[in-house]
Amino acid sequence: NAGVMQNPRHLVRRRGQEARLRCSPMKGHSHVYWYRQLPEEGLKFMVYLQKENIIDESGMPKERFSAEFPKEGPSILRIQQVVRGDSAAYFCASSPRGQAAEAFFGQGTRLTVV
Amino acid sequence: QQQVKQSPQSLIVQKGGISIINCAYENTAFDYFPWYQQFPGKGPALLIAIRPDVSEKKEGRFTISFNKSAKQFSLHIMDSQPGDSATYFCAASSKDTSYDKVIFGPGTSLSVIP
């Protein structure tokens, strides 16, 4: 049973470009959570999705950021018109039920904006 | 009130020693307190967790001590080993409408030296 798969592992984007981060949850998991981690900081919650639904996006910036979890395929975190401050590690986690504290994490995507 | 405080920021311990990481919270609605371990380049992994109805939980060399009245909890790593070198995050969660949102502390970087 493969774990939570995130790709790409590393992503470099120029300011103003778009970044697409993908997350394939563990088999049987229909709940996905996205977090952002800055150096010397803990993980900050961004968004919680179930299949085809956004349950809680209270941690997501109102502009330029969006997330989806379609019926088929991975969850996508999309950042439009990236800025230097978006440089961070982005982690997704998945769980079979709405229990974020027991979710399994992927290895993260490290986004660098140059 | 949603914050989880964690100290120290970094910790160096001799092999065989005891590593102690402390956390504190304000929100009395928190009812689940997990600890995560993160190795460089990897995602966090759930290490051990406790609920406020017990004062201590032990799993192998890892022990959580919980003080409900002081709203504090700590992780003790006995007989620390170089392989324990990692970043440790305490966290807290509570049932919030339909799911348990997790709030992470800022992390402690532990180095165990031979």
Side-chain angles (χ1 to χ4, degrees), chain A residues 9 33 35 37 40-45 48 55-56 58-59 91 98-108 110, chain B residues 9 32 34 36 38 40-46 51 87 89 93 95-96 98-107:
Chain A
R9 292 292 311 279
Y33 316 83
Y35 297 87
Q37 184 176 35
E40 310 299 328
E41 293 187 22
L43 289 90
K44 303 295 184 187
F45 168 79
Y48 162 39
I55 307 301
D56 180 359
S58 59
F91 290 93
Q99 293 176 312
E102 297 179 355
F104 292 86
F105 281 82
Q107 297 198 69
R110 275 128 188 103
Chain B
Q9 185 175 359
Y32 188 66
Y36 296 83
Q38 184 181 28
K42 304 292 185 183
L46 179 63
R51 295 199 180 275
T87 299
F89 296 97
S93 72
K95 278 291 181 184
D96 178 10
S98 62
Y99 80 108
D100 59 332
K101 192 169 187 175
V102 180
I103 308 298
F104 286 84

Side-chain angles (χ1 to χ4, degrees), chain B residues 46-105:
Chain B
L46 179 63
L47 183 64
I48 186 173
I50 195 168
R51 295 199 180 275
D53 52 347
V54 296
S55 60
E56 187 175 282
K57 183 172 181 180
K58 184 176 181 179
E59 289 185 3
R61 297 184 294 108
F62 299 89
T63 299
I64 302 177
S65 297
F66 189 83
N67 186 330
K68 189 174 180 178
S69 60
K71 291 185 282 187
Q72 295 175 347
F73 57 111
S74 59
L75 177 70
H76 292 62
I77 306 174
M78 312 300 287
D79 186 27
S80 298
Q81 299 297 312
D84 296 331
S85 297
T87 299
Y88 292 81
F89 296 97
C90 62
S93 72
S94 66
K95 278 291 181 184
D96 178 10
T97 59
S98 62
Y99 80 108
D100 59 332
K101 192 169 187 175
V102 180
I103 308 298
F104 286 84

